[in-house]
Amino acid sequence: MDPEQIPFPTTLLAIWLFILGLCVGSFLNVVIARVPAGQSIVRPRSRCPKCGYTLTWYDNIPLVSWLVLRGRCRGCGAPISPRYPLVELATGLLFLACLRRFGVSWELVSGLVLITLLIPLTFIDLEHWILPFSLTVPGIVLGVGLAGVQGAEALRDAAVGAAVGFLVFRLMEYLGWTLLRKEAMGGGDKYLVAMLGGFLSWKSLLGILFLSSFQGAVVGILLIALTGRAGPRAEGQGAAQEEQEAPEPELTMTWEFLKPGLPWWRRLAGVPVCLLFQPIPDEPKDEAGQEVDWVPGKTNIPFGPWLALAGLEILLLGPWLTQVLPPNLALLVGGVP
Ligand SMILES: [Zn+2]
């Protein structure tokens, strides 16, 4: 659009939304740092982990403070991660993109909430390999609820999206355990897909599945070729730990049809039963009976960031993608017309 055609109130709204995005991003940095550790996101005030210097209001101005301090603590000069200004800037820019895509509408509100949830989920999964329930489960409720504001049809599409997304990933998780005898994906992924299905309706699910697996596979293969591993290491994972393979989890499923030597149709018949009621295998334990932390292998990638990226692409670029992609792919990504 020609910038001169954008009416003044919209420009003002855009500036306001960008600043709001920077501030929300600043809060999301707190969420990313504290939620995985189980700490409160409200209190206490942020401190430097090195020297304990308590940040004042002028150390907390999004983007500006980090630039003024040149990425160093005012108290001790310890470097502050560039993740802080990056998250703030990304939130601001994505808020702007959302305004451009939807204009002033309920879809804008829903989009802003989705972005606010996807950013911390992405960074937490990259660092800790978890998708906290405290973000995904309220996210499912918010996604379906905000669709409900837009009418009965949108509510139905969102509820179906959340349910189908959850069940499809639950099925894949189950098949991973029974056929491959290993964890094919993180247990939190199905809640993230349910959240995306709630916000973006069931029509987006095929596109999300396609975009996330395709992009994840391409980048994963490139990373293995370049660095020798597909995903980041888990936090605190040392080089010594890297050498030893993660212990095989003990399966505790006692279902009759999982026993070896049964005909394939008996196993298949058990799938729908097991899908909902299959017990989750126990955490692997060491000799002392302590739970052993799962260590990501060289070819493991956290799938959450790829699901989040696919969700953002469909949210912000959906109509554009259906125009530039070949017709078959466009139908997949754009969903059912
Ligand atoms: Zn310090």
Side-chain angles (χ1 to χ4, degrees), residues 86-202:
L86 183 80
V87 163
E88 287 156 2
L89 187 62
T91 313
L93 291 177
L94 286 170
F95 272 27
L96 271 187
C98 205
L99 174 67
R100 178 162 183 137
R101 165 86 176 81
F102 295 111
V104 181
S105 61
W106 271 112
E107 283 138 309
L108 173 67
V109 177
S110 171
L112 296 180
V113 174
L114 179 57
I115 289 166
T116 302
L117 286 159
L118 288 180
I119 287 176
L121 284 167
T122 298
F123 283 91
I124 290 171
D125 202 19
L126 278 175
E127 192 174 339
H128 303 276
W129 293 71
I130 50 165
L131 295 166
F133 289 137
S134 54
L135 293 173
T136 49
V137 173
I140 297 170
V141 176
L142 277 170
V144 175
L146 282 166
V149 180
Q150 297 168 54
E153 198 181 332
L155 177 65
R156 188 200 59 199
D157 288 350
V160 172
V164 171
F166 182 88
L167 286 175
V168 166
F169 268 62
R170 185 73 184 87
L171 177 67
M172 298 205 302
E173 193 180 39
Y174 165 75
L175 292 177
W177 275 115
T178 52
L179 302 179
L180 307 173
R181 291 273 150 164
K182 62 179 183 183
E183 195 169 353
M185 60 183 61
D189 288 335
K190 55 186 179 290
Y191 296 92
L192 175 54
V193 176
M195 190 184 104
L196 289 170
F199 274 97
L200 301 171
S201 117
W202 61 271

Side-chain angles (χ1 to χ4, degrees), residues 227-248:
T227 68
R229 57 178 304 128
R233 293 174 187 197
E235 184 203 26
Q237 185 186 338
Q241 216 178 352
E242 171 73 15
E243 292 307 313
Q244 114 198 27
E245 283 287 303
E248 282 282 307

Side-chain angles (χ1 to χ4, degrees), residues 48 50-51 73 75-76:
C48 169
K50 285 265 161 56
C51 68
C73 167
C76 67

Side-chain angles (χ1 to χ4, degrees), residues 12 43 75 100 157 175 179 182 186 191 249 278 280 291 309 317-318:
L12 206 63
R43 280 159 35 93
R100 178 162 183 137
D157 288 350
L175 292 177
L179 302 179
K182 62 179 183 183
Y191 296 92
Q278 178 226 157
I280 301 297
E291 283 188 359
L309 178 66
L317 304 174

